[in-house]
Amino acid sequence: MEVWKKITGFENYEVSNLGNIKNSNFKRMNKEQEIKSTKNSRGYLLVSLFDKGKRNRFMVHRIVADNFLINSENKKCINHINGIKTDNRLENLEWNTHSENTKHAFKIGLMKNANGENHHLSKLKEKDVLDIRKNKNNLSYRKLANKYNVSVFSIYSVIKRKTWKHI
């Protein structure tokens, strides 16, 4: 069942527990006007609400949480429990810390640890790592470091399997 509440600070608008937003003052054909949302670059739904002629943009999940969810611990983030950023139903939202939000994203597979070539700071390729390990007795750490343009410590870490453990 859809439940509607006035949006705090924007008395002409209402939000529902299903994540819908409408302008309760503007009626077209005896129906209140539903506010259309747009997706931002990160995949969240945004709406524009007007107050005294000024446009204000808000994320839909923030409006739903602010008006329906009690935030007794004063947490700053809102988590989409099922990981779907466009599912703004009240039952899919919870208050979280940034840390809790990140842990949840890893847990449900939205974020993955980047390792090896996929890590944004990696200078080495898998074939380089295999070559380094193969030549560890033939070349000094310094020569290997120069050859691959990395530090001696990086060579040490590769050989001792402190990094690149997955291969």
Side-chain angles (χ1 to χ4, degrees), residues 74-88:
N74 200 28
K75 295 183 177 184
K76 304 290 184 223
C77 296
I78 302 157
N79 183 41
H80 287 84
I81 297 166
N82 67 8
I84 301 171
K85 296 175 182 181
T86 56
D87 183 355
N88 295 308

Side-chain angles (χ1 to χ4, degrees), residues 34-93:
E34 189 168 329
I35 305 299
K36 296 208 183 319
S37 59
T38 58
K39 260 188 209 178
N40 72 4
S41 61
R42 295 178 55 217
Y44 294 100
L45 296 178
L46 291 172
V47 291
S48 293
L49 305 181
F50 291 85
D51 183 41
K52 299 176 186 148
K54 182 181 175 198
R55 181 175 84 158
N56 300 273
R57 295 184 63 145
F58 298 97
M59 288 191 240
V60 174
H61 65 275
R62 171 75 50 189
I63 295 172
V64 174
D66 283 343
N67 288 277
F68 282 97
L69 281 178
I70 296 169
N71 188 7
S72 58
E73 296 179 50
N74 200 28
K75 295 183 177 184
K76 304 290 184 223
C77 296
I78 302 157
N79 183 41
H80 287 84
I81 297 166
N82 67 8
I84 301 171
K85 296 175 182 181
T86 56
D87 183 355
N88 295 308
R89 293 171 298 131
L90 177 60
E91 66 196 46
N92 187 46
L93 303 176

Side-chain angles (χ1 to χ4, degrees), residues 87-113:
D87 183 355
N88 295 308
R89 293 171 298 131
L90 177 60
E91 66 196 46
N92 187 46
L93 303 176
E94 64 184 352
W95 288 105
N96 262 345
T97 64
H98 183 70
S99 175
E100 289 168 335
N101 224 12
T102 301
K103 287 175 186 172
H104 179 261
F106 275 106
K107 181 180 175 186
I108 67 170
L110 292 175
M111 294 177 80
K112 295 181 179 23
N113 283 328

Side-chain angles (χ1 to χ4, degrees), residues 116-124:
E117 292 179 36
N118 296 326
H119 193 280
H120 68 284
L121 295 176
S122 177
K123 291 183 177 180
L124 299 172

